[in-house]
Amino acid sequence: MAPRCWRWWPWSAWRRARPPPAGSTPSFRQQFSTQEQPPQICVVGSGPAGFYTAQHLLKHHPRAHVDIYEKQLVPFGLVRFGVAPDHPEVKNVINTFTQTARSGRCAFHGNVVVGRDVAVPELQAAYHAVVLSYGAEDHQALEIPGEELPGVFSARAFVGWYNGLPENRELAPDLSCDTAVILGQGNVALDVARILLTPPEYLEKTDITEAALGVLRQSRVKTVWIVGRRGPLQVAFTIKVPRPRKRLTELLLRTATERPGAEEAARQASASRTWGLRFFRSPQQVLPSPDGRRAAGIRLAVTRLEGVGEAARAVPTGDSEDLPCGLVLSSVGYKSRPIDPSVPFDSKRGVIPNMEGRVIDVPGLYCSGWVKRGPTGVIATTMTDSFLTGQMLLQDLKAGLLPLGPRPGYAAIEALLSSRGVRPVSFSDWEKLDAEEVSRGKGAGKPREKLLDPQEMLRLLGR
């Protein structure tokens, strides 16, 4: 059986590029080993896309060296800052990423903001190839009146707050109201609803931050509405394959049309907290309190569908309804930002224009993950996508489309950063911070107590 890696490099093309000696069949790895200098490759972003890209490159090239740059002091991106604390099993991929980072041919450089501390062209000059895997760091605005009122937050910021993202540690949401409205019906919306409604004693043994737990203990939120502009067939909180989607639809229909039995009805009547889905509603305006100082409700346009299936569009009917609430969380999508003036960026789609991960019109520059395809899919989707980008890069390397001469790699970037007063954080530095977090969590019976303040992290590292 041919090695799996030959699937994306046709045998005929491979033979034309490097004819094998008579009587022998050179292996994929042997071909790479003939290069004079190990390729120096740079990956920007240490979330799933960045680590899976690095993992593929290291696995399929026996001499490649990969440097991973990250703007945070700590690695793992949305695995650390996005996965809900009550879903710890999803975070097990960190074990695989740690093995990659500990490889002798991989290095992590945290506390480096690409586009500010170092420019993308400077990375391109130092490496044979650069892969941009920095994800979607912004959220889609609602663009409706009242969006700026206190009590209105992006779900992204709210998730960052309870998951310990340093930039969101001062969010301080007011949970003294009895009703919250989440706009959007994706997985993040369900995560947020679950955190708002889960009794704090069930969260105490997770890695949720103690600051967030303290606020949730005082929460008066009893009802959460999850609002979507389309119908139950278009909800986004499931993988888009037929069988699970059919089961979900059947469950929604059964719940909506069947009367609960006496036991279930009694349980629902006695429940202290409730949630519900509202379909065919689109936000028009956040309604202010009488004094105009905070959110007190939301006006929703009633919609109907035009078209069928996933392509169906929600259009307003002309009717509307007002829904009282004291907390509005917008979960209508994440959005990538442009990283550097030298890098093409499609601001409408929020992605770097590319063909299978190759950045259009910029040889040697690649992208993977959400900045490549948009903020969709789960970690497994990102893994497949990142492996494909890695394959394209290695294919270009073999075809002689990348620089063949020596490249200084991190040695050149380190000198630049030093001259600019930037002190990167290594993976061994992260492991010290990791040990400190685990130690702090141990006393409370938690897997860890996350460090929130970058300055405290640097002090712990003796900086």
Side-chain angles (χ1 to χ4, degrees):
M1 177 182 285
R4 288 193 336 185
C5 49
W6 286 352
R7 289 181 302 176
W8 49 266
W9 182 251
W11 171 246
S12 57
W14 190 88
R15 288 192 61 176
R16 286 196 301 271
R18 187 177 181 84
S24 67
T25 303
S27 72
F28 180 83
R29 296 175 69 87
Q30 284 173 334
Q31 182 197 8
F32 277 134
S33 67
T34 62
Q35 292 192 358
E36 291 183 7
Q37 188 206 19
Q40 303 288 316
I41 302 169
C42 156
V43 172
V44 178
S46 69
F51 264 107
Y52 279 129
T53 302
Q55 177 185 320
H56 186 88
L57 294 170
L58 295 169
K59 179 179 179 180
H60 293 284
H61 193 299
R63 300 175 66 212
H65 183 93
V66 179
D67 286 322
I68 301 175
Y69 291 89
E70 167 60 53
K71 74 171 188 175
Q72 302 288 343
L73 274 76
V74 299
F76 310 132
L78 278 183
V79 181
R80 176 179 169 95
F81 297 123
V83 174
D86 59 342
H87 284 176
E89 70 285 350
V90 180
K91 303 183 186 186
N92 288 339
V93 293
I94 285 178
N95 298 328
T96 302
F97 298 163
T98 296
Q99 291 177 6
T100 298
R102 287 175 175 167
S103 163
R105 294 186 289 120
C106 184
F108 170 81
H109 308 290
N111 199 32
V112 178
V113 181
V114 173
R116 186 193 71 187
D117 299 334
V118 60
V120 171
E122 290 172 327
L123 293 174
Q124 290 174 284
Y127 292 90
H128 292 97
V130 174
V131 186
L132 301 174
S133 307
Y134 60 88
E137 301 173 303
D138 211 344
H139 70 281
Q140 297 280 1
L142 292 171
E143 297 181 348
I144 61 174
E147 185 175 10
E148 74 291 342
L149 285 169
V152 182
F153 302 94
S154 73
R156 181 193 183 281
F158 191 78
V159 170
W161 167 70
Y162 65 65
N163 271 337
L165 184 60
E167 67 189 64
N168 298 133
R169 69 186 188 278
E170 305 293 343
L171 195 70
D174 182 355
L175 305 185
S176 61
C177 59
D178 62 5
T179 302
V181 169
I182 302 171
L183 302 171
Q185 293 181 331
N187 290 328
V188 174
L190 285 189
D191 285 346
V192 169
R194 207 171 57 253
I195 295 300
L196 283 171
L197 296 174
T198 299
E201 56 266 28
Y202 290 97
L203 297 173
E204 288 173 349
K205 303 306 179 184
T206 73
D207 67 357
I208 192 170
T209 68
E210 189 57 41
L213 199 54
V215 174
L216 289 167
R217 287 190 183 105
Q218 303 301 315
S219 172
R220 297 180 183 174
V221 174
K222 303 298 181 187
T223 303
V224 175
W225 289 107
I226 305 174
V227 177
R229 57 191 171 85
R230 297 193 293 173
L233 296 181
Q234 290 81 32
V235 292
F237 48 73
T238 184
I239 51 176
K240 297 189 176 183
V241 291
R243 287 189 65 190
R245 198 152 189 85
K246 182 182 178 184
R247 288 197 204 102
L248 175 70
T249 304
E250 290 170 348
L251 176 62
L252 289 171
L253 289 173
R254 190 165 66 248
T255 303
T257 58
E258 292 182 4
R259 282 192 171 188
E263 185 178 336
E264 175 62 16
R267 189 189 68 81
Q268 291 180 10
S270 64
S272 60
R273 300 182 180 189
T274 62
W275 69 283
L277 298 164
R278 292 180 87 93
F279 299 111
F280 303 112
R281 299 292 186 270
S282 179
Q284 276 188 322
Q285 178 185 355
V286 178
L287 303 173
S289 57
D291 61 9
R293 297 178 64 178
R294 62 170 294 106
I298 188 159
R299 180 160 294 156
L300 301 169
V302 179
T303 64
R304 60 179 174 81
L305 291 183
E306 285 187 354
V308 295
E310 288 296 316
R313 292 174 55 249
V315 296
T317 63
D319 295 331
S320 65
E321 69 175 20
D322 292 349
L323 186 59
C325 62
L327 179 67
V328 177
L329 293 161
S330 168
S331 185
V332 295
Y334 285 41
K335 185 170 65 175
S336 295
R337 303 169 181 166
I339 192 171
D340 190 287
S342 69
V343 179
F345 191 78
D346 183 337
S347 56
K348 185 176 181 179
R349 295 178 56 223
V351 298
I352 296 172
N354 70 93
M355 292 291 290
E356 296 185 311
R358 298 178 175 100
V359 177
I360 292 175
D361 295 330
V362 190
L365 190 62
Y366 302 83
C367 56
S368 66
W370 283 4
V371 77
K372 170 186 173 182
R373 70 177 191 276
T376 59
V378 293
I379 289 177
T381 320
T382 296
M383 177 183 70
T384 304
D385 166 88
S386 302
F387 286 176
L388 177 61
T389 292
Q391 288 176 359
M392 296 303 103
L393 191 159
L394 293 178
Q395 180 173 317
D396 292 348
L397 183 65
K398 288 189 301 180
L401 300 178
L402 300 180
L404 294 177
R407 289 293 170 105
Y410 182 62
I413 302 303
E414 183 179 31
L416 279 176
L417 295 174
S418 178
S419 71
R420 295 166 185 171
V422 180
R423 299 184 65 183
V425 169
S426 68
F427 199 76
S428 62
D429 287 332
W430 151 245
E431 290 183 312
K432 294 173 186 174
L433 298 176
D434 177 44
E436 176 66 20
E437 289 187 345
V438 172
S439 175
R440 292 186 181 191
K442 193 172 183 180
K446 301 174 66 175
R448 69 178 61 243
E449 185 59 51
K450 290 178 180 174
L451 296 164
L452 307 180
D453 183 354
Q455 294 306 313
E456 182 186 9
M457 296 184 205
L458 291 172
R459 283 196 301 272
L460 290 168
L461 296 173
R463 303 289 179 88

